């Protein structure tokens, strides 16, 4: 393959593999989880490997955050509960106590710390839990695929940088 064809082929391959960005994918997955669960809020929480701390990595909320869910996440103790729990966490809504209704399920992602996908803003049932669990499995696969594509792009850029100069 002549040198110019290699350059064109590498650029096309890099462009194809670069189409997924992790942050953008998290946003799309959270928006879709909210739609699938018919909930106004959704997001991801990452728990450290020692299961001592949890922190939100993405929050999808309606404009103005009418339920003040971001504040609730920080102050309610739900993050500590997620850090300690390897399983699904479901909390019933209680308007008088400011509890919005919350459902979180682990995302099976081998290459990251423990991750939860959550939805909030209404009461949830066993059917919702099952559906969100299936969606979380698909989300985990998508996140692993995006991570693999990012790694491939780094390797391909290295190949492109160190390719031999044609005679």
């Amino acid at each position: 393959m002549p040198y110019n064809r290699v350059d064109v082929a590498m650029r096309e391959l890099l462009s194809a593999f670069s189409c997924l960005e992790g942050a953008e994918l998290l946003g799309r997955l959270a928006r879709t989880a909210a739609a699938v669960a018919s909930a106004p809020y959704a997001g991801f929480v990452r728990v450290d490997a020692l299961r001592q701390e949890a922190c939100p990595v993405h929050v999808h909320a309606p404009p103005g955050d009418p339920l003040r869910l971001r504040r609730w996440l920080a102050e309610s103790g739900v993050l500590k509960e997620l850090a300690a729990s390897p399983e699904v966490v479901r909390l019933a809504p209680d308007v008088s106590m400011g509890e919005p209704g919350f459902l979180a399920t682990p995302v099976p992602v081998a290459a990251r710390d423990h991750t939860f996908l959550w939805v909030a803003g209404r009461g949830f049932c066993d059917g919702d839990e099952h559906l969100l669990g299936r969606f979380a499995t698909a989300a985990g696969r998508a996140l692993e695929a995006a991570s693999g594509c990012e790694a491939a792009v780094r390797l391909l850029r290295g190949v492109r940088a160190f390719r031999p100069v044609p005679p």
Side-chain angles (χ1 to χ4, degrees):
M1 189 182 278
Y3 179 68
N4 61 347
R5 289 184 63 199
V6 170
D7 193 45
V8 169
M10 285 295 271
R11 265 189 274 136
E12 288 175 356
L13 193 56
L14 283 166
S15 176
F17 283 174
S18 298
C19 66
L20 282 179
E21 287 192 26
E24 184 180 323
L25 181 59
L26 276 176
R28 286 182 182 186
L29 288 169
R31 283 191 307 274
T32 305
V36 164
S38 299
Y41 295 87
F44 289 88
V45 168
R46 186 162 297 136
V47 178
D48 71 327
L50 298 175
R51 291 198 172 272
Q52 293 178 345
E53 292 184 17
C55 66
V57 290
H58 185 82
V59 176
H60 167 74
D65 190 6
L67 296 179
R68 297 184 191 141
L69 192 99
R70 293 174 199 273
R71 186 172 143 212
W72 178 83
L73 276 174
E75 297 174 359
S76 68
V78 72
L79 293 176
K80 289 182 182 185
E81 190 169 345
L82 289 174
S85 178
E87 298 177 355
V88 172
V89 172
R90 187 181 350 169
L91 304 172
D94 184 350
V95 178
S96 66
M97 297 297 290
E99 301 289 329
F102 183 83
L103 175 63
T105 190
V107 177
V109 182
R112 298 177 183 232
D113 291 339
H114 307 287
T115 303
F116 281 88
L117 171 62
W118 60 267
V119 291
R122 68 174 185 84
F124 297 99
C125 65
D126 291 342
D128 296 314
E129 186 176 316
H130 176 75
L131 187 61
L132 189 63
R134 293 177 69 84
F135 187 83
T137 299
R141 298 274 192 259
L143 292 169
E144 286 176 339
S147 177
C149 284
E150 288 172 355
V153 166
R154 286 190 300 274
L155 290 169
L156 287 170
R157 285 189 177 132
V159 167
R160 189 173 174 195
F162 294 109
R163 68 178 175 261
V165 177

